[in-house]
Amino acid sequence: MNNDLNVELLKKYAPKPGRSPLLPTLTPRQQLALLCRVLHREGYNDHIAGHITVKQPDGTYFANPWELTWAEVTASDILHLDENGKIIEGEWNITPAINLHIDVHSARHDVSVVIHNHPSWGSVWSAVGRVPPIYDQTSAMVDSDPVYYDEYRGTVEDGAAGRAAANALGQEKWALLANHGVLIVAKNIRQAHLRAITLEWRCKMAWRVESLGGGTPLPASVATETGRRTDENGFPFLWEAMARDEIRRDPSVLE
Ligand SMILES: [Zn+2]
């Protein structure tokens, strides 16, 4: 059973001597470009909307540029920002909504990745004003409900709105922003990937189930136990598989 896999089993399935690695060694810029590509394919595809920041050990950030879709960004497009979100290095512009990310990073030293976008399925539940139930195992890979933040105050480039969204997230993993989109935080790229795809899958599955008249959600104890096993370190081999898929489709993502 997939939900029996956990961190301990990663040791059991450690690479055999001589086997090629699941992914080549990647720079932080390459990891971020790949995360953008992977998530675009999963539904984080509202044109040029959406931004991801990844905090570095020295307090600076890497972020995707404003002008480019998540489907076209490459490693060399990734911007390097100072601790206030100002560009240190890069040829593109940074979104005016960067303040949202800086506010969240300032409040959450336990996370290094902050994702905001208007994904296809998450945005539906954000607009409906409900947290989607968990109807299957894949929807349960993260063990908590998103915060529903229902105080829409315009776009997040407004300073007060950014701080309010950061406050609404609190110490949680993710939030549905009413009539807007989603906000997801994570300690690293692997966990960020799992949380982002799980939220979108959960929103899509629940929409489909309820469009047929509804179903029976997973028992809460089963859902929690499943997510507890996978959320902390990501589902084994999943990030690597999806990143390889993007590299195969377009190796220039790493350039
Ligand atoms: Zn937005």
Side-chain angles (χ1 to χ4, degrees), residues 116 118 156 180:
H116 168 66
H118 316 144
V156 292
H180 185 171

Side-chain angles (χ1 to χ4, degrees), residues 142 173-174 184-186 191-199 231:
V142 178
K173 301 170 180 176
W174 45 11
I184 298 164
V185 298
Q191 189 181 62
H193 170 251
L194 184 76
R195 289 180 176 179
I197 66 169
T198 300
L199 181 57
D231 177 62

Side-chain angles (χ1 to χ4, degrees), residues 46 49-51 97 100 116-118 152 154-157 177 180-182:
D46 180 10
H51 6 93
L100 167 70
H116 168 66
N117 206 330
H118 316 144
Y152 188 73
T155 56
V156 292
E157 58 261 35
L177 306 179
H180 185 171
V182 306

Side-chain angles (χ1 to χ4, degrees), residues 27-107:
T27 66
R29 282 184 167 93
Q30 289 174 324
Q31 290 183 342
L32 178 48
L34 278 168
L35 183 62
C36 290
R37 298 280 187 111
V38 168
L39 294 187
H40 184 273
R41 201 173 300 286
E42 295 278 352
Y44 291 74
N45 54 14
D46 180 10
H47 309 92
I48 63 166
H51 6 93
I52 304 175
T53 45
V54 183
K55 192 170 188 177
Q56 302 303 299
D58 64 358
T60 64
Y61 301 94
F62 287 118
N64 61 297
W66 190 7
E67 293 97 325
L68 304 181
T69 72
W70 287 15
E72 64 182 328
V73 66
T74 68
S76 57
D77 293 321
I78 297 298
L79 302 172
H80 193 194
L81 312 177
D82 70 13
E83 61 275 12
N84 299 311
K86 300 281 187 270
I87 297 173
I88 301 171
E89 185 183 8
E91 299 175 353
W92 302 102
N93 288 297
I94 187 65
T95 172
I98 189 63
N99 66 284
L100 167 70
H101 292 250
I102 302 302
D103 287 341
V104 173
H105 284 292
S106 299

